[in-house]
C-alpha cells in the first residue's frame, strides 16, 4: 500500500525466492532462451531446466519457513500461481497450468518419466513451485507475449546423489543436528556442497532449433555459494 505505486513505476518486484531457490534456474533458462533467439527466428516454445546434481542440506529455519507458508497457499499448483509474478502475460500466452510446469517425458507430460532431451529419467523438481513463477517473470520481460512452456526437473541420479551426500555428511559430522537447529552446516560441510544445472531452450516448427546452457556451482548452494553470486548478479 505504501510503496506499490512507486515500485510499479520503477519496475521493482519483491520475489519470494533467492539464492538456491530461484537464481540458478532463472539464469540458465534465460541464458539458453536468449542464445536460441540470437538466430532472429523468434523465441523458444519450450524451456526445461534440469538439475543433474545437487548437494545441500535444509536447515530448520528454511523448513519452518516452508511449513509456515503452506497455509497461505505456498504450494498451490494452478495456472494463476504459475504466472503470479508475470501478471501482464496475455491469456493466450499462459500455456502452463502448474508453477513447476509439466515435464516433457516420453509418452506425454508426467511427474516422473524418461526425458529424451537429457537421456535420463527425471521427475518434477520439488522447488519448482518457487522457481517457475520467477522464471516466467523473466521470460515475460524478455519475450513479451510469447507462449513459452517452462518445466523444471531433477534427474534420478541427482536424487540418489543427494540422499547419499546427506547421509554421509550426517554420519561423519561432529554435530549432525546442527543444521536442524537453525544453524548453517559446518564450514567443511559447506565446501563439499554444490550443484550442476542445465537450461534447454527449444523452438518447434519450420525454424526448429535448440540451445543449452549449463552452470556448475562449488560449495553448498543454500548457505555458501548462491547467496554470494546472487548479489554479484544484482549489482
Amino acid at each position: 500500500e505504501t510503496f506499490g505505486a512507486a515500485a510499479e513505476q520503477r519496475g521493482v518486484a519483491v520475489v519470494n525466492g533467492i539464492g538456491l531457490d530461484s537464481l540458478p534456474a532463472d539464469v540458465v533458462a534465460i541464458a539458453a532462451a536468449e542464445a536460441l533467439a540470437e538466430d532472429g527466428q523468434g523465441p523458444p516454445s519450450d524451456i526445461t531446466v534440469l538439475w543433474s546434481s545437487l548437494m545441500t542440506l535444509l536447515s530448520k529455519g528454511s523448513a519452518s519457513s516452508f511449513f509456515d507458508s503452506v497455509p497461505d497457499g505456498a504450494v498451490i499448483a494452478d495456472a494463476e500461481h504459475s504466472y503470479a509474478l508475470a501478471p501482464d502475460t496475455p491469456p493466450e500466452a499462459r500455456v502452463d497450468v502448474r508453477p513447476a510446469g509439466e515435464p516433457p517425458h516420453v509418452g506425454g507430460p508426467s511427474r516422473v518419466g524418461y526425458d529424451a532431451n537429457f537421456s535420463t529419467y527425471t521427475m518434477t523438481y520439488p522447488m519448482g513451485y518457487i522457481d517457475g513463477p520467477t522464471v516466467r517473470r523473466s521470460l515475460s520481460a524478455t519475450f513479451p507475449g510469447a507462449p513459452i512452456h517452462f518445466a523444471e526437473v531433477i534427474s534420478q541420479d541427482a536424487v540418489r546423489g543427494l540422499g547419499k551426500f546427506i547421509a554421509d555428511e550426517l554420519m561423519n559430522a561432529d554435530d549432525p543436528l546442527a543444521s536442524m537447529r537453525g544453524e548453517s552446516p559446518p564450514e567443511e560441510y559447506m565446501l563439499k556442497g554444490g550443484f550442476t544445472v542445465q537450461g534447454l531452450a527449444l523452438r518447434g516448427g519450420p525454424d526448429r532449433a535448440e540451445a543449452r546452457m549449463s552452470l556448475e556451482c562449488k560449495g553448498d548452494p543454500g548457505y555458501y555459494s548462491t547467496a554470494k553470486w546472487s548479489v554479484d548478479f544484482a549489482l
Side-chain angles (χ1 to χ4, degrees), residues 60-234:
K60 183 179 179 181
S62 297
S64 297
S65 297
F66 169 76
F67 288 114
D68 287 346
S69 65
V70 168
D72 296 323
V75 292
I76 294 177
D78 59 20
E80 180 180 357
H81 285 73
S82 299
Y83 295 90
L85 299 179
D88 294 333
T89 304
E92 62 273 17
R94 298 189 176 210
V95 291
D96 290 324
V97 296
R98 296 179 182 275
E102 295 287 350
H105 293 136
V106 172
S110 59
R111 298 293 182 90
V112 180
Y114 184 77
D115 191 325
N117 291 320
F118 300 107
S119 301
T120 188
Y121 282 89
T122 65
M123 63 192 70
T124 300
Y125 183 59
M127 298 302 291
Y129 74 94
I130 291 178
D131 295 351
T134 305
V135 173
R136 290 186 188 89
R137 180 182 185 277
S138 296
L139 290 173
S140 177
T142 307
F143 307 103
I148 304 174
H149 286 283
F150 172 76
E152 188 172 17
V153 298
I154 184 170
S155 71
Q156 61 176 357
D157 288 341
V159 174
R160 292 194 192 102
L162 176 60
K164 184 178 186 303
F165 177 75
I166 292 175
D168 289 348
E169 294 304 320
L170 290 180
M171 289 180 63
N172 295 325
D174 293 333
D175 186 0
L177 299 180
S179 65
M180 298 311 295
R181 290 199 299 269
E183 304 172 15
S184 62
E187 181 76 11
E188 63 270 18
Y189 171 88
M190 291 192 289
L191 290 173
K192 296 178 182 178
F195 66 81
T196 304
V197 64
Q198 179 183 157
L200 168 64
L202 296 172
R203 183 175 60 229
D207 298 313
R208 178 175 175 79
E210 74 170 56
R212 298 175 187 257
M213 188 65 63
S214 296
L215 177 65
E216 184 176 358
C217 178
K218 298 296 185 181
D220 184 274
Y223 301 98
Y224 194 85
S225 300
T226 56
K228 294 181 179 179
W229 51 270
S230 62
V231 177
D232 292 339
F233 271 95

Side-chain angles (χ1 to χ4, degrees), residues 36 39 41-47 147 201-210:
L36 181 142
D39 65 4
Q41 300 303 313
S45 54
D46 298 87
I47 294 178
L202 296 172
R203 183 175 60 229
D207 298 313
R208 178 175 175 79
E210 74 170 56

